[in-house]
Amino acid sequence: MNQDILTDIIAHKRKEIAIQEAAVSASFLENHIGGTTVTRSMKQSLTASSTGIIAEFKRRSPSKGWINCEADASIVPHNYELAGAAALSILTDELFFGGSLKDIRNARPTVNIPVLRKDFIISRYQLLQAKVAQADAVLLIAAALSKDECMSLAKEAHALQLEVLLEIHTEQETDYINEYVDMIGVNNRNLGTFHTDTENSFRLAEKLPKDKVLVSESGISNPETVIKLREAGFRGFLIGENFMKTENPGKALNEFINQLQSAL
């Protein structure tokens, strides 16, 4: 396993964006934003939810390979909503995660809950893509950006009425938190090595501002962990692989939420 897969992903992402922008200009996307005025607040949805599950649609990962290559974005997200998800995370990276913006476009008509575009966002162009695809929020990853880039992209996301989930992994990255960040995600998975440890969320919880909605990402596989994380101040719990590796991700989420609610 490459010790720094993030470097490879970002290098490829730059090439990918250049090709996409050559095919479809930023101004073309801007002209097609008009019809995407409905926005659903992911921050409010997580705050109001008793469980706070952000169910993720993910076909593969760089560390595990294919998880669910046949997964249908017009079916699984809808089933996630029926099962009680507070929000959806849809991976749109193609090379490393087997996703695309088409997955958001296919899911959107089938769901009424907020959709997060999860990708390695390094350009305003990707924010425009997210808006046209009718995402409600975008992920910004501190490890993939400079502080200035993070501030600029977060500000631009707000101008496009997209909420921002800032993902951090270390205490040093708390410096990336700015006024345009709506939610702070603590990634329990190291993006360089892909080692996962949920203790990372507990370690960082007390270092994070109390006025932001906190999200714990990756490595959550049982309701007891969610309960402990809620006690530590988290309101969102991003879970994907745990559900996607099953034959029926929506059913797996439903069972997880039932266990969680009976334990709360």
Side-chain angles (χ1 to χ4, degrees):
M1 181 73 201
N2 189 319
Q3 284 300 295
D4 197 6
I5 191 76
L6 183 62
T7 305
D8 296 345
I9 291 172
I10 297 303
H12 183 266
K13 193 61 60 179
R14 292 190 196 286
K15 293 175 192 168
E16 191 180 275
I17 294 164
I19 292 165
Q20 290 170 346
E21 198 162 357
V24 180
S25 69
S27 58
F28 180 88
L29 292 179
E30 283 168 347
N31 290 334
H32 284 75
I33 285 172
T36 60
T37 49
V38 177
T39 52
R40 300 157 186 84
S41 172
M42 185 170 163
K43 178 174 65 173
Q44 287 175 13
S45 186
L46 294 179
T47 306
S49 173
S50 62
T51 57
I53 304 295
I54 305 163
E56 186 159 86
F57 182 82
K58 174 167 79 170
R59 291 193 185 88
R60 75 181 299 264
S61 81
S63 58
K64 300 284 174 68
W66 288 102
I67 298 161
N68 192 332
C69 63
E70 299 299 319
D72 188 335
S74 64
I75 295 172
V76 174
H78 176 65
N79 289 341
Y80 273 157
E81 179 174 20
L82 292 178
L88 298 165
S89 167
I90 298 182
L91 268 144
T92 58
D93 176 84
E94 189 167 1
L95 183 65
F96 296 91
F97 290 88
S100 73
L101 281 160
K102 189 179 175 187
D103 289 333
I104 294 182
R105 290 196 295 270
N106 286 341
R108 181 79 277 173
T110 73
V111 296
N112 290 308
I113 53 177
V115 172
L116 170 77
R117 179 189 186 183
K118 191 175 182 189
D119 209 315
F120 298 83
I121 291 179
I122 54 174
S123 157
R124 176 176 179 268
Y125 184 76
Q126 292 163 289
L127 300 178
L128 293 171
Q129 287 178 320
K131 188 65 180 177
V132 172
Q134 298 188 55
D136 305 291
V138 290
L139 180 74
L140 296 181
I141 303 171
L145 301 165
S146 69
K147 273 184 267 191
D148 286 347
E149 286 169 335
C150 183
M151 169 71 90
S152 173
L153 287 169
K155 185 177 181 180
E156 188 62 44
H158 270 208
L160 292 168
Q161 293 185 298
L162 292 164
E163 289 186 342
V164 174
L165 170 60
L166 171 67
E167 176 179 300
I168 64 170
H169 182 73
T170 65
E171 187 178 343
Q172 289 73 28
E173 289 172 349
T174 57
D175 288 351
Y176 278 73
I177 299 166
N178 62 62
E179 63 193 284
Y180 303 104
V181 168
D182 301 286
M183 299 158 283
I184 302 168
V186 177
N187 196 346
N188 302 313
R189 179 175 289 128
N190 182 302
L191 286 176
T193 64
F194 272 70
H195 171 71
T196 304
D197 179 11
T198 52
E199 282 302 314
N200 199 43
S201 284
F202 294 104
R203 278 194 296 269
L204 289 181
E206 60 199 44
K207 318 278 186 193
L208 301 174
K210 300 288 181 272
D211 62 331
K212 303 285 187 188
V213 174
L214 305 186
V215 176
S216 183
E217 306 170 15
S218 304
I220 302 168
S221 58
N222 64 69
E224 290 73 26
T225 305
V226 172
I227 291 166
K228 287 176 185 168
L229 285 164
R230 282 189 79 86
E231 288 167 358
F234 288 87
R235 286 297 168 265
F237 312 93
L238 195 146
I239 309 174
E241 202 171 294
N242 199 51
F243 307 136
M244 291 299 296
K245 69 185 179 185
T246 67
E247 202 173 309
N248 186 332
K251 184 172 177 237
L253 170 60
N254 186 50
E255 289 166 359
F256 189 94
I257 286 179
N258 285 341
Q259 290 171 21
L260 178 57
Q261 287 179 326
S262 63
L264 283 169

